[in-house]
Amino acid sequence: MDKANSSVVSEFVLLGLCSSQKLQLFYFVFFSMLYMVIVLGNLLIILTVTFDTSLHSPMYFLLGNLSFIDICQASFATPKMIADFLSEHKTISFSGCIAQIFFIHLFTGGEMVLLVSMAYDRYVAICKPLYYVIIMSRRTCTVLVTISWAVGLVHTLSQLSFTVNLPFCGPNVVDSFFCDLPRVTKLACLDSNIIEILIVVNSGVLSLSTFSLLVSSYTIILVTVLLKSSAATAKAFSTLASHIAVVILFFGPCIFIYVWPFTIYPVDKLLGIFYTVFTPILNPIIYTLRNRDMKAAIRKIVNYYLRSRILSEMSLVVRASLH
């Protein structure tokens, strides 16, 4: 790379969500609690799906992987955002900024494809129930999860290929709480119109293609469900409602921001918060509250943990009394 294209910016300044000290203290407590709920809630789902044999099915295997991606997605920027609420100078190194861009596109791209895999699982279960065990084998599920990570990796590497060599020679203030690609690209010291178009095409193709596949899949599933008996319809609608709610909550902000990313709107910060914090916290709530099997399994694990803890404490008391 020649000197004209070399970057002289060593760090970026993040303006965060607001400048009010009182609000920042409130946000620190609020988002700290949300982040704890995200990690603990999704971790509980992963542990439940892993250790409860009654949940060793393709749907719950994919759900466990979704929870893992949600933890990752909430962790790429949220801890730094929380720490910045207590910091007067909110800065991030150039390499740290590139890392944030890498991880957000890896996790969001992977989650998009994983949601398509979950829709395919429901399609096979409802439209081809006799072949479900054959089609949705353990090998198939592993391949689907691997594909989701592979697509996310290809997506993020292609985005970085447009961004990492951009020259940043002066402006370094990012009006966000993390290194949002559209805002960072606008700081480059060149006419980035072609780069902007390539980034839009990359994000737009992935977002709109996966969203179109999801809409098509759920349309077919809903039509099939409506033609079945009322009992089957009620059970299927209960499961589908959870999936459709997650799809809408996840894809809405992503499509708004990354299909038209270079028109910066004031609401972009709120949407960024939504898909980095609120979507990962809503996923476990939606899937557990509307799923009897999951609720029963979580109850069983919690009761087992509490019973083990009580027995352990009782044994300690007995030993102490004997001495």
Side-chain angles (χ1 to χ4, degrees):
M1 190 188 308
D2 57 30
K3 289 183 180 180
N5 288 330
S6 62
S7 174
V8 297
V9 172
S10 61
E11 65 180 17
F12 291 95
V13 177
L14 302 175
L15 295 184
L17 294 181
C18 69
S19 58
S20 168
Q21 289 293 332
K22 291 182 180 179
L23 273 178
Q24 290 198 46
L25 186 59
F26 167 75
Y27 284 152
F28 172 78
V29 175
F30 179 67
F31 284 107
S32 295
M33 292 174 63
L34 283 184
Y35 183 66
M36 287 178 61
V37 173
I38 289 169
V39 174
L40 294 176
N42 282 290
L43 193 59
L44 181 60
I45 288 179
I46 293 171
L47 292 174
T48 303
V49 169
T50 302
F51 293 108
D52 194 307
T53 54
S54 65
L55 299 181
H56 287 180
S57 67
M59 184 178 79
Y60 294 109
F61 174 76
L62 296 174
L63 177 58
N65 280 275
L66 178 66
S67 291
F68 177 73
I69 291 183
D70 280 338
I71 291 175
C72 295
Q73 188 170 310
S75 300
F76 86 94
T78 307
K80 173 161 178 55
M81 177 187 70
I82 293 170
D84 282 346
F85 288 135
L86 301 180
S87 175
E88 188 175 344
H89 302 288
K90 303 173 178 62
T91 59
I92 185 171
S93 66
F94 182 83
S95 57
C97 186
I98 295 299
Q100 282 195 345
I101 293 172
F102 173 84
F103 285 120
I104 186 173
H105 288 279
L106 172 66
F107 300 140
T108 53
E111 182 158 345
M112 287 179 186
V113 180
L114 188 59
L115 288 172
V116 173
S117 300
M118 294 176 76
Y120 176 69
D121 170 72
R122 291 300 84 204
Y123 165 78
V124 176
I126 293 172
C127 301
K128 300 180 182 295
L130 297 179
Y131 300 97
Y132 182 73
V133 177
I134 298 172
I135 296 174
M136 294 303 297
S137 63
R138 185 74 178 187
R139 182 175 177 274
T140 302
C141 293
T142 304
V143 168
L144 290 174
V145 171
T146 304
I147 289 173
S148 69
W149 282 103
V151 171
L153 183 62
V154 171
H155 171 61
T156 194
L157 290 177
S158 60
Q159 294 289 57
L160 281 183
S161 68
F162 304 139
T163 312
V164 72
N165 289 326
L166 287 175
F168 297 96
C169 54
N172 68 336
V173 178
V174 181
D175 186 15
S176 184
F177 62 94
F178 71 101
C179 283
D180 194 12
L181 181 58
R183 296 176 187 270
V184 172
T185 305
K186 280 192 170 294
L187 300 177
C189 301
L190 52 69
D191 184 2
S192 57
N193 287 334
I194 295 176
I195 301 295
E196 292 175 6
I197 291 170
L198 291 173
I199 291 174
V200 169
V201 169
N202 191 326
S203 297
V205 167
L206 180 61
S207 301
L208 293 178
S209 60
T210 50
F211 186 69
S212 300
L213 283 171
L214 285 166
V215 170
S216 302
S217 300
Y218 285 122
T219 300
I220 295 170
I221 293 170
L222 287 172
V223 170
T224 304
V225 166
L226 290 172
L227 297 176
K228 291 190 175 183
S229 66
S230 57
T233 300
K235 186 175 180 180
F237 266 124
S238 178
T239 304
L240 288 177
S242 303
H243 288 256
I244 293 171
V246 168
V247 167
I248 293 172
L249 291 172
F250 179 78
F251 275 88
C254 282
I255 290 175
F256 184 86
I257 292 175
Y258 284 101
V259 176
W260 299 279
F262 296 98
T263 302
I264 303 299
Y265 297 100
V267 75
D268 282 358
K269 283 187 184 181
L270 178 62
L271 293 175
I273 282 288
F274 199 86
Y275 73 78
T276 56
V277 177
F278 288 111
T279 300
I281 201 173
L282 286 172
N283 282 356
I285 293 174
I286 290 171
Y287 280 115
T288 54
L289 292 182
R290 298 187 62 87
N291 190 303
R292 292 180 184 176
D293 295 335
M294 180 63 73
K295 285 191 288 187
I298 289 175
R299 226 178 280 120
K300 193 187 335 180
I301 285 180
V302 171
N303 289 338
Y304 175 80
Y305 172 77
L306 291 176
R307 188 165 56 248
S308 300
R309 189 170 181 179
I310 290 170
L311 290 173
S312 176
E313 290 177 355
M314 286 177 64
S315 65
L316 289 174
V317 171
V318 171
R319 286 179 185 175
S321 64
L322 291 174
H323 290 292

